[in-house]
Amino acid sequence: MNRRIPVIPHEPLIIPRSEHNISRANISENALKVLYRLKNAGYAAYLVGGGVRDLLLGRHPKDFDVATDARPEEIRKLFRNCRLIGRRFRLAHVRFGREIIEVATFRAPHDAGEGGEGEGALRDDGMIVADNVYGTLESDAWRRDFTINALYYNIADFSVVDYTGGMADLREGVLRVIGDPRVRFQEDPVRMLRAIRFAAKLEFHIPEDLSRVIHEMADRLALVPAARLFDEVLKLFLSGHAHLTFELLRQHGLFGQLFPATQHYLEANEPFTLPFIRQALINTDQRIAAGKPVTPAFLFATLLWTPVRVAAAGLREQGVSPIQSLQMAGETVVREQQQTVTLPRRFQTPMREIWTSQARLVEHRAGKRPLAFVEHPRFRAAYDFLLLRCDAGEVEPEYCQWWTEFQAADEEVRQAMCEALAPARKGRRRRRRRRPRSGNAAGRRTGQ
Ligand code: ATP
Ligand code: MG
């Protein structure tokens, strides 16, 4: 069942305060300040988007977005702490310390013609490139992506306004696109990623017909600028539901659009790839749940590890040193990856260090090097990465055990551990070389 964008105005469902659970006590004080100031200046002011959706679901919203009939310039005049941003969508950001309340003027559909004001542009291929046509509350509702994201909380009477059937879909736990999914994904292919993100975050169902359209249109993501996809990838994987998101992206044929090289190895059943990524994402989710920091560098290091590892193994066979082969492989993989999803430079350096450190952790333990490396600020990330590789079965557990003990030990014991290693390491190497190489999983295990 598709809800078509109506041509003639349509009566919304209005849910009065007594019939919904949104309480002002759960709305941020700053968002309330913005809503009231707009209202007192004579404008319409509504909370919209994820804030309303999450409050109705009894969850804590990540942030609060406001929609109003005030124009960007008028919004700026009302708030001293306000900045106008964005070209594609012109928005006002009202800042209160670390909290930013996003205030947007009601928009009309991009093809609003004479009815709307401002600028809207649709490219020949149906993509929206500018979307600054102002409209009404109703037109604003119909241009949003999913019905559950198009609910408005009216500060004038505390009611919820529903034009698109979002309340029913919230109750049923269904993700439904507003209008024809083919048209809406053509306008903005990122909406497919947003569908996956909300399905994972809210544990909502993606109906069969929507799932089919996503499959069909997945390759449209290639039209989205790689820098915008970076922002989306962070939202997909660093919002606390990375593991489920990954499974859903794969199910819907979207993962390969973001990480083609990794997808290649997943399809080829390259050993350790799937368990490694799954474990990395499960850990990421656990860290977020525990309030620990997570970084894009570590995330990308895990998502791209298989292509780097396999390419590095090829270089090693040609006689390139362990560290250099990881460096060279990393460079090639990053260069290719930049074509789909950009990773900003500031994250590339720590990511490459995680990769090259793997050689320090596995191949270069003899001598005094571990004594300095363990004190290095980047050691922790490299070690965590090694633990993941051990968990996935790609590296012998003894390497992790050794480093775990080494970290806990005092200076004297550390020195003894390094000294003890040199002859022992030689012995192990010789034994390993005699082991027959089957060319399968075991043959590729690092440290053999
Ligand atoms: P989150 O909890 O992640 O913040 P959200 O639904 O608030 O979820 P935002 O990206 O903050 O998502 O966007 C706010 C609202 O703007 C959405 O709820 C939706 O109504 C609308 N929106 C955002 N991106 C799009 C898009 N690409 N196409 C149509 N509507 C969009
Ligand atoms: Mg939001």
Side-chain angles (χ1 to χ4, degrees), residues 71-72 90 105-108 112 115-119 132-136 139:
R71 296 300 158 86
R90 204 158 159 74
T105 307
F106 294 147
R107 289 199 200 101
E117 281 178 54
E119 282 176 76
N132 283 321
V133 185
Y134 302 123
T136 60
S139 65

Side-chain angles (χ1 to χ4, degrees), residues 396 430-437 442 448:
E396 301 279 1
R430 216 176 296 130
R431 247 195 346 267
R432 284 216 179 91
R433 224 175 269 150
R434 274 194 232 114
R435 210 184 274 172
R437 290 193 63 140
Q448 303 216 6

Side-chain angles (χ1 to χ4, degrees), residues 48-51 53-54 62-63 65 89 143-145 149-150 184 188 190-191 194 197-198 201 228 235:
V48 65
R53 179 196 68 214
D54 292 352
K62 195 177 81 208
D63 46 39
D65 299 320
F89 296 134
R143 58 147 287 282
R144 290 183 181 268
D145 48 5
N149 286 347
R184 304 308 308 281
D188 183 4
V190 165
R191 290 174 183 150
R194 291 175 59 86
R197 178 154 72 84
F198 297 126
K201 168 177 165 163
R228 183 167 175 219
K235 288 185 206 160

